[in-house]
Each structure stands twice: as C-alpha cells, then as structure tokens.
Amino acid sequence: MVSALGMTAVLGGCGSTGSSDVTLRLVAADYGDSAATSSKKYWDKLAAAYESGHPGVKVEVSVYSWNDVDRKVKEMVDAGHAPDLAQIGAYADYAAAGKLYQVSDLLSIRTQADFLSQLADAGQWKHVQYGIPFAASTRVLFYNKTLFARAGITPPTTWAELASDAKALRDKGVKYPYALPLGPEEAQAETMQWLLSGGYTDNGGNGYTDDIGTYTIDSAQNIQTFTWLKDELVDKGLTGPVAPGKLNRADAFTAFADGSVGMLNGHPALIQQAAKKGVSFGMVPMPGRNGTARASMGVADWMMGFKQNGHAEQIGDFLDYVYARKNVLAFSRAYGLLPVTDSASGAMSQSDVAADKSLRPFLDQLPTSQLYPVGKTSWAAVSAAVKKDIGQAVAPGGSPAGVLTRLQAAATAADSSDAN
C-alpha cells in the first residue's frame, strides 16, 4: 500500500443522465492498511468530482474492510435494501438469484470493449456478463537475491531447477528454501498456481476446471503435480520448519520480508513489504514442469450493479466515469494492483514511473493468466474445501490422490446442487 493516493480525478462524460435527484449507494472494499490509505479517500474524491459534473446525482459510498464487506452486502440484500453498486469479491450468487443488471444494460460499448478479455469472460454467469472486473493481480516467483548469491544459484525456470535451488538454499541454512503456504488463509491460491504449472507438453496444467468449466481437481496431471510437491519438496525438507498445511500466506510473506525465505509465489503487495525491510529480491515467472509455466494465476475483484432500485442509467453513467483510463490508473497505482482495462494496462506498460515498472512482471503475466472459476456459484464451497484439506495432500503419510479425489467429489456435489 502507499501512503497517499496521489489521485487526480478526471471529469468524463459530464452530460445529463436523463433524470435528477438520484442518490446512488455504493458499498466498496477497503484496499488500504490504515486510515491514511483507506479506499474511502479514493471514492470520496471520485464521487465529488463526478457529482460536480452531474448536479442531479449523488453518490454515497460506504467502505468496509475485506473481512466485512461481502457479509455487509449480503445482509443488505437479504434485508431487501440492496445497494445500487457493490465492489466486492464475488458476484455469481447474486447473478444466479436474478438480482444484478447485465453489464450490457449498464456500460457504454466503449467501456465494455476496453476490459481485458479474460477478465470480462470471468465475469460471466451462464455466458452472460454480470461481474465487472475492478482490480486484478497475478502471481510471480519472488526470490531473495542475497540468499541466492550466497548459495551460488540462479532463479529456476523448471521444477527440477526449483528443487535443486531449494536444496542449495537449505544446505546454506536458509530456514524456508521454498515457502509453500497451504494453510487455511489462502491455500486455494498456492494450489492453483501449482496446478497451472503442472503440464507436460504445453507447460500448463488443468487448474481447477477444464476449458468448459467442469471441475477436474483430481485429473492425472493434478495428482502428479501434488505427488511431485510431496516427494521432491516437502518430504525432502525443502519447505521449512512449519508444515505447509499450517503455513499461511501472510506468515510466508512476513518470513520473506524478514530474509528467512529463499523463494515463494507472491503478488504485488509483497514488493513494498519486502522493500521496507531492505530485502534484495528478484521476480521471475513461475517455473513449470518442463519450463516456464504457460499460465499464471490471476485474481480479480468485482463491481456489480443491483437492479432493486432501478437506477440503471445513472449506475451505467457513473461506471463509465469510474472506468475512464486515468481513474483506473489512479486506483491501480495507489494500491499496487493491475489495471483491468486495455487502455490503462497499455499506459502502465509504457510508463517510466518506478512504481509502474515494478508491476511489469505481474502485468506481463496478466494476458495469459487464468482466474478462479468465479462464475460458478459452487466455487465458494470448493475454495473453502481446498483451504481446509489440501495441506493433507503433502503431509507425512498423506495421499495426494486421495485428497484430490475427495475434493473432486465435494466439488462435483456442490456443482450438482447449484445446478438444481
């Protein structure tokens, strides 16, 4: 996070929305880590700038922490008081319940066409887009340059090289040669990154689903991936003193910033966390079984418009403003996140600003990234099951095939239940 938003609001689309005296209520997530960096400052500036060009429209923004925001919106919807707009972590349940506007009913064609295609596709429920991508992130492999130099090694490009590097780091006394956070905080992320890197001929695995959206958690490739992790990293003592199933992502990041980790998968927030502690680090694409992984894991947060209050025209006009290039760039730069539009991504990739340059390794991964299957209403249950159980796959005496088969059965059941 940064200490100042450094945002210049841009007036765009200042014409009439066709009606007056409309109040739009927006509930948004807080990406800041203190009152000084709260997203509320961003939204208040943006709303004030929009209102100055649209006298008949007010935008009231409520910002909640990520621990609370999804629950707050659910409570509002369940009580019959849905907001006009919500910027939260998932949209599919509301789309399935018929509570959301289709994106095509809200946004101008120009704004719709500007979204990165794979993010727009991930916003679809039953082949219709309801979720509007708001912020994105990918993962790359971070490595500690000081520890690598001490061990006389270079960043890995294959799994075999990763295991070899991990052994060299362990032999030099590094506490976590490769940090493998499969604890309940965010195990679904580490799991997906490894699944995507686990192919043979195309350097890409299945992930959680196949190309048509069917869960394939227990595919032969995925079982082989977790068997390799167990046999070649965990069982050989190359993942550190904490069992992967008990190591959370936040703790792994803290250990990296403290200089105790040789390498781990990380997202952009780790840049500043490590830099603040003076760690010299590099970033490379995640290794694959036979070479650089074909796909990185992507994550997106979502904006959506609720139909209850009937403000489609005003919602759409405001969102066209929100997604103007300069506003997308301002938010992305404030919070170290990736732009979700082609225009803003292009501007960031060509920028000489140091903060933009630091995000390029992540930006480079975005066009080929694969996201969680967020368009499936079953995903929340499947993700919870992965968080709870995947660590057992690499535990002493654990069975990767057995654990993935159980997770597949749970996913199939959840998917079937949601389809009925």
Side-chain angles (χ1 to χ4, degrees), residues 103-418:
V103 173
S104 59
D105 291 336
L106 298 175
L107 300 179
S108 68
I109 292 174
R110 180 177 179 178
T111 300
Q112 291 180 66
D114 198 23
F115 289 111
L116 295 168
S117 60
Q118 80 276 24
L119 298 181
D121 289 347
Q124 295 182 359
W125 178 77
K126 292 194 172 180
H127 310 294
V128 176
Q129 188 181 355
Y130 295 90
I132 308 170
F134 181 73
S137 176
T138 58
R139 299 292 198 272
V140 299
L141 186 75
F142 282 71
Y143 66 97
N144 184 309
K145 288 185 174 180
T146 303
L147 299 180
F148 267 59
R150 192 175 300 158
I153 54 177
T154 56
T157 60
T158 66
W159 285 4
E161 291 175 3
L162 187 148
S164 176
D165 284 353
K167 182 179 183 303
L169 291 163
R170 184 197 61 191
D171 291 347
K172 288 294 183 179
V174 175
K175 188 174 182 180
Y176 293 92
Y178 177 85
L180 182 66
L182 296 177
E185 178 198 6
E186 204 182 35
Q188 83 284 3
E190 183 75 13
T191 296
M192 184 167 174
Q193 186 62 73
W194 278 99
L195 297 184
L196 290 173
S197 72
Y200 282 99
T201 58
D202 62 359
N203 293 329
N206 290 335
Y208 289 111
T209 61
D210 62 18
D211 290 341
I212 60 172
T214 302
Y215 284 111
T216 53
I217 297 172
D218 65 346
S219 70
Q221 274 191 354
N222 290 348
I223 290 171
Q224 288 156 358
T225 292
F226 265 81
T227 299
W228 186 90
L229 275 175
K230 184 178 188 303
D231 292 348
E232 302 300 325
L233 289 185
V234 182
D235 287 355
K236 291 185 177 179
L238 301 179
T239 54
V242 179
K246 296 185 180 300
L247 181 65
N248 281 325
R249 190 268 308 161
D251 296 328
F253 277 21
T254 297
F256 185 84
D258 288 340
S260 300
V261 175
M263 49 187 160
L264 83 170
N265 283 316
H267 56 60
L270 185 54
I271 294 175
Q272 292 192 35
Q273 188 175 348
K276 284 179 182 176
K277 290 293 192 78
V279 173
S280 176
F281 62 89
M283 297 177 288
V284 294
M286 174 66 181
R289 185 182 291 270
N290 300 316
T292 300
R294 179 189 63 181
S296 172
M297 186 196 73
V299 178
D301 300 324
W302 301 96
M303 179 74 76
M304 62 212 70
F306 284 87
K307 295 194 294 187
Q308 180 177 328
N309 301 316
H311 295 148
E313 186 177 0
Q314 292 82 7
I315 291 170
D317 191 71
F318 176 65
L319 288 179
D320 282 340
Y321 178 80
V322 168
Y323 285 100
R325 183 181 71 170
K326 288 186 179 180
N327 291 333
V328 173
L329 277 171
F331 184 86
S332 300
R333 287 168 171 163
Y335 295 106
L337 294 163
L338 304 182
V340 297
T341 60
D342 281 313
S343 59
S345 290
M348 182 175 280
S349 67
Q350 296 167 22
S351 168
D352 290 327
V353 176
D356 291 349
K357 286 183 176 181
S358 72
L359 291 174
R360 278 188 195 156
F362 302 93
L363 202 61
D364 290 344
Q365 299 291 310
L366 192 56
T368 57
S369 65
Q370 292 187 26
L371 280 71
Y372 299 131
V374 289
K376 298 170 76 67
T377 55
S378 57
W379 170 241
V382 173
S383 176
V386 171
K387 291 178 183 180
K388 179 175 177 288
D389 292 337
I390 195 64
Q392 298 171 21
V394 296
S399 165
V403 171
L404 293 179
T405 298
R406 289 202 306 274
L407 288 171
Q408 175 67 32
T412 301
D415 217 23
S416 175
S417 174
D418 285 335

